[in-house]
Amino acid sequence: MTERDAIPAGGKATYIAEEVRRRIIEKEWRQGDRIPDETELATEFGVARATVNKALQLLAEEGLLDRRRRAGTRVAINPVRKATFSIPIVREQIEAAGLSYSHRLISQSRSPLPAQHAERLGLSTGDILIHLRAVHYGDRQPFQLEDRWINPRAVPGIEDVDFHHLNANEWLVRNAPYLRADLNFSACNAGEHDAPLLDTKPEQALLILNRTTWNDVGPITTVRLAFHPGYTMAATT
Amino acid sequence: MTERDAIPAGGKATYIAEEVRRRIIEKEWRQGDRIPDETELATEFGVARATVNKALQLLAEEGLLDRRRRAGTRVAINPVRKATFSIPIVREQIEAAGLSYSHRLISQSRSPLPAQHAERLGLSTGDILIHLRAVHYGDRQPFQLEDRWINPRAVPGIEDVDFHHLNANEWLVRNAPYLRADLNFSACNAGEHDAPLLDTKPEQALLILNRTTWNDVGPITTVRLAFHPGYTMAATT
DNA sequence: TAGTGGTCTAGACCACCCT
DNA sequence: GGGTGGTCTAGACCACTAT
């Protein structure tokens, strides 16, 4: 860490991570190369080994480095980079876009679980769950169509909630922290049933997000979110 | 860390993170509550403060905790949870599914950049880039349609590559590490032009992934991937 | 077996920002 | 001003695995 180096914005570990990243981008260290071990880098940068360790672990999580005990650290040959996106509360997402939020509950009932969901949830077909359908609006335009099943055994108190005025997404986020979640994206045509709810044509392509959460008791909820036509979901790296 | 506790799988920090997560899930600590500070938890668990710090930073990244100097650590009121997915090499993705990979280059040319991409890339309309279109197959079934623009100024050597037998995705992953990437998902109808390439109907809904990468020179590549009908992209949390 | 990363400790100092 | 988290250090021991 020589005098002329810029002051590290996020501390020395961040600075070292940036410097190592730069050496990889600029091909000073090439795909597959072994890089100096932690002790050597600690000496080079004039820091403790733990600091180098933190920096390199960060880059390994990003997928840029492969690290193995005894074998050392190498620049990844096929860097499998990762992207993350946050799962916002619908209302906050809509309001963040400067629109006024509203929602409409289409149905709320206790219903037997269809087979298509039972396996994924690890429950039995016909178990009684709470089934909700709702549309979320931004400035009165349909934004998202929600089709949700909630397992009351995993969420005590849910039976008494009326979702006409409170949105299920928000209630669950605040009251049912989860241990594990599954999430996937797909696309499907709106169809006769959903198209009118999103104010579009039946053949319109829609982005679909399916999400299921579990806590220590069992599955909490599974939800299918269909976004309005043209919606894009952004991720960061 | 009492004797009867299970041996922490990933070390003490992991154990502490799991225990804190459990206390939140089971409502011992509720949304908005202030939790004990690092020093107290270090005493309780019989570890150094740095170990507690590591555990709590992990949970803060997950979105379960809000941490602020002086104000302490609180259970997040609206836990904004994050999901991560990895961006695989198409060939590896197809082979991992047990299918045999092949691809077909539809076109490779040096072309003026259309306006729709210019702004996103920070280049000028009409700049000469390399334009590729290709289809990737698994067991001879169309898997993914790729429409890619590559900026040769950011990737020296690209001009000489013939992508008839080498796939661009793989070449770029190995030769053009990036500093920053943008990524988003959307859905669109296949259309007259793309439908035959994916062996489907023009109105079929397709999952679209758009991705753009940059290095220190400038934009490297922007690509639009259209997946075959029914494809789902899974993320983990 | 020996070299490498993984993790932890005890202590220190600092940055931030609530009160 | 003072309490909290953020980061670093020097050292230690351990886990894994290439050779």
Side-chain angles (χ1 to χ4, degrees), chain B residues 107-114 126-132 149-150:
Chain B
S107 65
Q108 170 172 6
S109 63
R110 304 176 73 252
S111 302
L113 186 65
D127 279 1
I128 300 301
L129 271 69
I130 296 167
H131 184 204
L132 297 176
W149 293 85
I150 305 172

Side-chain angles (χ1 to χ4, degrees), chain B residues 146-218:
Chain B
E146 171 180 2
D147 188 311
R148 183 186 291 278
W149 293 85
I150 305 172
N151 176 13
R153 277 172 298 180
V155 203
I158 186 88
E159 304 267 22
D160 306 326
V161 181
D162 174 0
F163 290 107
H164 278 88
H165 295 291
L166 184 59
N167 114 26
N169 176 345
E170 231 154 325
W171 192 92
L172 285 165
V173 160
R174 299 214 171 102
N175 295 278
Y178 59 85
L179 274 175
R180 184 165 71 83
D182 247 23
L183 184 151
N184 67 64
F185 290 103
S186 53
C188 87
N189 298 95
E192 297 292 345
H193 207 250
D194 293 346
L197 296 170
L198 287 171
D199 197 14
T200 187
K201 314 179 302 286
E203 64 274 19
Q204 175 64 51
L206 302 177
L207 180 66
I208 306 294
L209 191 163
N210 277 291
R211 195 161 122 85
T212 307
T213 57
W214 287 265
N215 65 15
D216 51 353
V217 177

Side-chain angles (χ1 to χ4, degrees), chain A residues 103-115:
Chain A
H103 89 293
R104 183 163 70 87
L105 185 64
I106 298 168
S107 66
Q108 171 172 8
S109 63
R110 303 175 73 252
S111 303
L113 186 65

